[in-house]
Amino acid sequence: LSLLDEEGNQDESLESKTLSAEDQVKDRSTGTRVVAGQIFLESGKSDSQSEDAENFHSQEEEKENSLEELNSLEMSNLLNKDLEEAEIQSAVLTAIGGTADGEPCHFPFLFMEKEYAECTADGREDGRLWCATTYDYKKDQKWGFCETEEQSNKRRQMQEAEDVYQTGMKILNESSKKAQKKEAYQYLLKAADMNHTKAMEKVSYALLFGDYLKQNIQSSKELFEKLTEEGSPKGQMALGFLYASGLGVNSSQAKALVYYTFGALGGNLIAHMILGYRYWAGIGVLQSCESALTHYRLVANHVASDISLTGGTVVQRIRLADEVENPGMASGMLEEDLIQYYQFLAEKGDVQAQVGLGQLHLHGGRGVEQNHQRAFEYFNQAANAGNSHAMAFLGKMYSEGSDVVPQSNETALQYFKKAADMGNPVGQSGLGMAYLYGRGVPVNYELALKYFQKAAEQGWVDGQLQLGSMYYNGIGVKRDYKQALKYFNLASQGGHILAFYNLAQMHATGTGVMRSCHTAVELFKNVCERGRWSERLMTAYNSYKDGDSNSAVVQYLLLAEQGYEVAQSNAAFILDQKEASIVGENETYPRALLHWNRAASQGYTVARIKLGDYHFYGFGTDVDYETAFIHYRLASEQQHSAQAMFNLGYMHEKGLGIKQDIHLAKRFYDMAAEASPDAQVPVFLALCKLGVIYSLQYVREINVREVFSHIDMDQLLGPEWDLYLMTIIALLLGTIIAYRQRQHQAIPRPAGLRPAVPQQEPPPEHQPPQ
């Protein structure tokens, strides 16, 4: 899915992505176990059943109640649909006007030697629908309209709007040039003006974010209100966001919660994710782990169902604060020059460069767009050169299939075998998948287990994940939840989304581990944040990079509502720098403080220090040294921040928010120097200052004359201390006299005869520090 189409696709209704109720009941009746984005069958099932199983994506284990909730939702929708169809069938259409006004339409009827089972516009130039009230129109000439003139005009208008919308969407999805995308949005604007719901949704988000249309919060708000009146879940969610962030409206968390709730009830996944975060963090609602679990699990089910063998797209989490301090270092983005250098190497036949570029284009990320055609070409070149990794990835591409590579189990198997014979873990894992599901070979759980073990031993995450699944379900081995947990944990350390998903399921249900709602929510949250909407992080970053801070901050604010910690800190950073003009100057610091607070609660150290700074200096709040001290102490104790330790030392030194204590100040300064080498210079200067202050304070506290009167030199240096002192003075005088005599022995030259000696710079080690 393209970025531009994300709002139109990423938050589809729940019903559109779940299995039908009939299929789900059928799955349960065969005694399947659900895990790892696949439905696994118990050993002993037929091969045909295993082939059926691979066509389904799983959501949860059999005993979990969320599938039952979704089943009931699906069933109720099917029942409602049946009732609606029954009502339509039972409602008899009555002819309006014509030659048989008020008489019931007769279906089917014969017109121009063709039978019609519904109203038609054939034979009319105005396109108005009509029907016959007897079977043979030619014989009886009995007819009437199926709709009023007003209804006919409205229908034709909506059809015209649909045609304009489809034209715009076609241009949008088929082009990559900015000018063409702007042209597409002109079509969408025209369709939106004709009250086309989907067009209004696309245009309203484009106006909100400034995507190919000039950013206009007020216009987007009006469209969202119109959509909300029509019952659009996307419009309800977006209107909730505006009230939550105070953009274009007066901020109201109560109204935001209402609109988010209605959006979630309508099936909007982003609304569910926002509510999950709010219940988890207790924002505007009472904190409830179980409520958060319900919302997050529902979204995670859909994210997990979309994950393929390749593991999904890469999420780029770039912190603007780090990027400003070290451009390009913290982002992990590849520079254009570097990419061109790798492309040059690949063209020259460098196999490693070909494999690396192939992986970059296969998954996308690090500044490279996903492109399966380029990935296939690079892998093909490397495979022809005998690279096992490229062979294995070609196997994965053929196994999954795409617009570029046709799905072929036989071709995939050939590549997997070649790679596996060379000891490649990706090939071994692919071969294990083939034997597990019978793709091109008969199902053989023992061989599948063998290849997964080989891949897992080499640290390949797919092998670890599938091995965990086999232990979890008892396929080819005795069921062992401890082993399953072990391999899921290993796969999660490699960042595999389905590993997080499976661990979340186990913690949510207490399978193989003690039930932990908190752990399950954190794991499900991690899965949810890997959904397609995470691509908005990169568009927000690119907007900021292009100098459009207003667009960037709105995008980051929406992602912040969804619970992305990096979006919260980035939104706070832009507000802190006062770069967003859409936010009033008086509101900048309070809003930044709010998002620093949310980011800090998720464990971001810099945000915690920022909270301390805001309370210390009174940014967006009153000056409160005690609260500042608490935030610095939390950052020091929980994240071992050198900056926080230094600040604590300063506050102890000055007695701000805490009783003045020079000894504790020195302790915190020393701790800061130990925690970070960068802190050693400022700590040295602070300690020098502290030493001077301590000395002055000590001198001030004592009476010097009284001290000297109590000194007994006979006891301190012995009875002959005066002789020692005279000896020392004599030696010092002798040294000075000898030094002066050596100076007089040097004969000075006349000024005119003195040679010109060039002035030399001191050696580098003696130069003063810059």
Side-chain angles (χ1 to χ4, degrees):
L1 295 180
S2 68
L3 262 180
L4 294 165
D5 201 30
E6 68 175 337
E7 272 81 28
N9 294 289
Q10 69 193 11
D11 42 0
E12 294 174 2
S13 63
L14 304 178
E15 296 86 344
S16 65
K17 288 193 176 182
T18 53
L19 297 175
S20 68
E22 182 182 351
D23 289 336
Q24 289 177 347
V25 170
K26 181 171 71 177
D27 289 342
R28 285 170 178 256
S29 65
T30 58
T32 59
R33 294 289 179 187
V34 184
V35 77
Q38 306 288 335
I39 294 182
F40 292 91
L41 295 171
E42 298 288 350
S43 53
K45 302 296 180 198
S46 66
D47 293 351
S48 62
Q49 287 176 321
S50 65
E51 289 172 1
D52 290 338
E54 71 179 271
N55 295 325
F56 294 95
H57 288 292
S58 71
Q59 306 302 326
E60 300 182 64
E61 194 190 352
E62 184 180 41
K63 61 183 176 181
E64 297 176 17
N65 56 12
S66 67
L67 264 183
E68 295 171 0
E69 293 169 5
L70 291 175
N71 283 346
S72 63
L73 180 61
E74 283 288 339
M75 289 299 290
S76 64
N77 289 331
L78 289 171
L79 289 171
N80 290 337
K81 189 177 177 183
D82 292 340
L83 287 170
E84 288 171 6
E85 290 174 355
E87 286 172 6
I88 291 168
Q89 290 172 359
S90 62
V92 178
L93 279 172
T94 304
I96 302 169
T99 60
D101 185 32
E103 295 183 20
C105 291
H106 187 285
F107 296 112
F109 63 88
L110 188 67
F111 172 67
M112 299 288 286
E113 299 181 358
K114 180 181 175 182
E115 281 193 346
Y116 290 86
E118 57 185 5
C119 297
T120 181
D122 291 355
R124 293 193 64 84
E125 293 182 358
D126 60 2
R128 198 168 169 186
L129 296 174
W130 65 277
C131 69
T133 56
T134 61
Y135 175 71
D136 193 339
Y137 167 78
K138 185 177 181 181
K139 176 184 174 184
D140 301 319
Q141 295 289 313
K142 291 279 192 178
W143 69 278
F145 293 111
C146 298
E147 57 189 359
T148 64
E149 191 171 352
E150 184 183 351
Q151 289 172 332
S152 175
N153 291 334
K154 188 175 180 181
R155 178 179 57 79
R156 286 199 299 272
Q157 185 184 5
M158 289 310 295
Q159 184 57 49
E160 184 185 351
E162 178 65 23
D163 293 341
V164 174
Y165 170 76
Q166 291 299 337
T167 303
M169 290 304 297
K170 186 179 180 183
I171 298 172
L172 196 63
N173 293 327
E174 291 180 358
S175 65
S176 57
K177 294 181 179 178
K178 194 172 181 179
Q180 290 177 324
K181 290 183 184 293
K182 284 186 175 181
E183 180 191 348
Y185 267 98
Q186 294 307 311
Y187 283 100
L188 296 177
L189 268 172
K190 186 179 177 182
D193 290 337
M194 299 165 75
N195 294 325
H196 189 282
T197 303
K198 288 185 177 179
M200 284 196 292
E201 289 173 348
K202 294 288 293 179
V203 168
S204 58
Y205 276 98
L207 288 169
L208 178 66
F209 297 135
D211 287 343
Y212 304 105
L213 291 174
K214 187 177 179 182
Q215 190 177 32
N216 191 324
I217 304 291
Q218 195 61 36
S219 297
S220 69
K221 182 194 78 121
E222 291 168 4
L223 278 173
F224 288 139
E225 287 175 339
K226 194 172 181 180
L227 287 166
T228 299
E229 288 173 6
E230 295 179 6
S232 164
K234 293 177 188 174
Q236 291 163 342
M237 184 279 295
L239 200 55
F241 163 65
L242 292 182
Y243 276 106
S245 55
L247 294 173
V249 294
N250 292 326
S251 180
S252 172
Q253 297 303 321
K255 285 185 179 179
L257 184 62
V258 170
Y259 285 120
Y260 283 149
T261 304
F262 277 116
L265 289 171
N268 186 278
L269 295 180
I270 291 181
H272 274 291
M273 193 171 167
I274 291 171
L275 286 176
Y277 175 67
R278 288 194 160 228
Y279 278 109
W280 182 64
I283 299 171
V285 290
L286 287 174
Q287 198 167 10
S288 171
C289 184
E290 294 300 332
S291 296
L293 180 63
T294 301
H295 288 290
Y296 271 130
R297 177 158 53 183
L298 196 146
V299 179
N301 290 338
H302 292 281
V303 174
S305 70
D306 287 338
I307 301 303
S308 62
L309 187 64
T310 55
T313 54
V314 178
V315 180
Q316 294 286 341
R317 299 173 188 263
I318 303 170
R319 296 192 186 280
L320 296 183
D322 297 342
E323 180 72 4
V324 169
E325 289 184 12
N326 303 299
M329 296 296 291
S331 65
M333 304 288 287
L334 291 175
E335 294 291 336
E336 185 64 30
D337 292 345
L338 191 58
I339 294 172
Q340 289 178 0
Y341 174 67
Y342 285 133
Q343 288 172 343
F344 172 76
L345 289 177
E347 289 170 6
K348 292 293 182 182
D350 189 305
V351 176
Q352 294 301 322
Q354 291 167 349
V355 174
L357 286 170
Q359 287 181 279
L360 275 175
H361 284 95
L362 178 64
H363 300 292
R366 301 196 71 183
V368 179
E369 289 187 7
Q370 200 171 25
N371 188 325
H372 283 193
Q373 179 65 47
R374 300 288 298 276
F376 179 75
E377 290 169 0
Y378 283 124
F379 285 142
N380 218 13
Q381 292 172 13
N384 292 336
N387 185 274
S388 63
H389 218 57
M391 294 176 190
F393 274 100
L394 281 175
K396 290 179 81 169
M397 294 187 77
Y398 275 108
S399 178
E400 291 181 12
S402 65
D403 295 337
V404 176
V405 182
Q407 202 281 333
S408 172
N409 287 332
E410 289 72 22
T411 309
L413 190 67
Q414 290 174 9
Y415 280 115
F416 283 144
K417 278 185 175 177
K418 286 181 182 178
D421 289 343
M422 297 170 73
N424 185 277
V426 186
Q428 292 166 344
S429 178
L431 209 53
M433 293 291 285
Y435 282 112
L436 180 64
Y437 291 112
R439 295 173 182 168
V441 290
V443 173
N444 189 325
Y445 294 140
E446 289 183 6
L447 281 176
L449 184 71
K450 171 188 168 186
Y451 282 114
F452 286 144
Q453 283 175 332
K454 284 185 176 181
E457 284 169 4
Q458 295 189 63
W460 182 240
V461 289
D462 282 338
Q464 294 164 342
L465 177 75
Q466 297 302 333
L467 196 56
S469 299
M470 294 188 79
Y471 276 111
Y472 182 90
N473 297 299
I475 298 174
V477 289
K478 186 180 178 181
R479 181 172 289 158
D480 188 337
Y481 291 133
K482 285 187 177 180
Q483 284 294 318
L485 189 69
K486 169 190 168 185
Y487 284 111
F488 286 153
N489 273 320
L490 286 172
S492 71
Q493 289 169 16
H496 203 299
I497 307 177
L498 292 179
F500 288 113
Y501 177 75
N502 293 334
L503 285 171
Q505 300 287 30
M506 294 182 78
H507 282 93
T509 55
T511 305
V513 290
M514 286 289 290
R515 185 179 186 275
S516 171
C517 176
H518 184 77
T519 305
V521 166
E522 288 190 336
L523 289 166
F524 275 134
K525 181 175 182 288
N526 195 319
V527 175
C528 294
E529 290 181 359
R530 301 283 286 276
R532 291 194 178 272
W533 39 79
S534 63
E535 294 171 9
R536 180 61 67 183
L537 284 168
M538 274 311 296
T539 60
Y541 171 72
N542 290 329
S543 296
Y544 182 78
K545 223 176 155 189
D546 294 338
D548 191 353
S549 296
N550 285 336
S551 174
V553 78
V554 173
Q555 294 177 75
Y556 278 132
L557 285 171
L558 178 57
L559 292 164
E561 282 288 298
Q562 293 173 245
Y564 285 90
E565 177 271 306
V566 69
Q568 291 167 347
S569 58
N570 284 351
F573 175 81
I574 295 174
L575 292 169
D576 180 78
Q577 300 294 307
K578 295 189 175 181
E579 295 176 334
S581 61
I582 58 170
V583 180
E585 191 173 343
N586 294 333
E587 298 177 11
T588 301
Y589 281 135
R591 291 192 187 190
L593 179 65
L594 173 71
H595 287 95
W596 284 130
N597 194 28
R598 291 181 182 178
S601 67
Q602 296 199 61
Y604 184 39
T605 310
V606 173
R608 181 67 68 187
I609 295 171
K610 279 286 186 182
L611 283 177
D613 293 344
Y614 273 46
H615 285 93
F616 187 91
Y617 295 109
F619 293 158
T621 183
D622 296 329
V623 173
D624 188 343
Y625 294 132
E626 291 183 3
T627 305
F629 183 85
I630 290 169
H631 286 301
Y632 290 143
R633 189 175 64 186
L634 285 171
S636 168
E637 293 175 354
Q638 295 175 2
Q639 285 101 22
H640 304 290
S641 165
Q643 178 69 57
M645 293 171 184
F646 186 90
N647 292 351
L648 285 171
Y650 181 80
M651 294 185 80
H652 274 293
E653 177 189 331
K654 296 293 184 182
L656 301 172
I658 194 74
K659 185 181 177 182
Q660 187 175 23
D661 191 327
I662 291 177
H663 300 286
L664 275 176
K666 183 182 183 304
R667 180 184 169 193
F668 278 109
Y669 284 142
D670 289 339
M671 287 168 63
E674 290 174 6
S676 171
D678 295 336
Q680 289 179 356
V681 173
V683 164
F684 172 75
L685 296 174
L687 287 175
C688 289
K689 177 190 169 189
L690 196 66
V692 172
I693 292 171
Y694 179 76
S695 301
L696 291 173
Q697 184 179 342
Y698 179 76
V699 169
R700 207 179 294 124
E701 287 176 357
I702 65 172
N703 189 327
V704 179
R705 194 174 292 174
E706 186 180 341
V707 169
F708 279 110
S709 66
H710 283 83
I711 295 176
D712 187 349
M713 299 301 285
D714 289 341
Q715 289 184 355
L716 189 65
L717 299 175
E720 297 176 350
W721 64 270
D722 51 345
L723 292 176
Y724 301 148
L725 183 59
M726 289 172 66
T727 305
I728 293 170
I729 292 171
L731 288 172
L732 285 172
L733 284 171
T735 305
I736 292 170
I737 291 167
Y739 177 73
R740 293 293 296 270
Q741 284 179 345
R742 288 182 63 186
Q743 274 192 328
H744 286 298
Q745 288 174 0
I747 302 171
R749 295 174 181 267
L753 301 176
R754 185 177 298 161
V757 181
Q759 187 178 356
Q760 295 182 355
E761 294 184 0
E765 62 268 19
H766 293 120
Q767 287 184 0
Q770 299 295 320

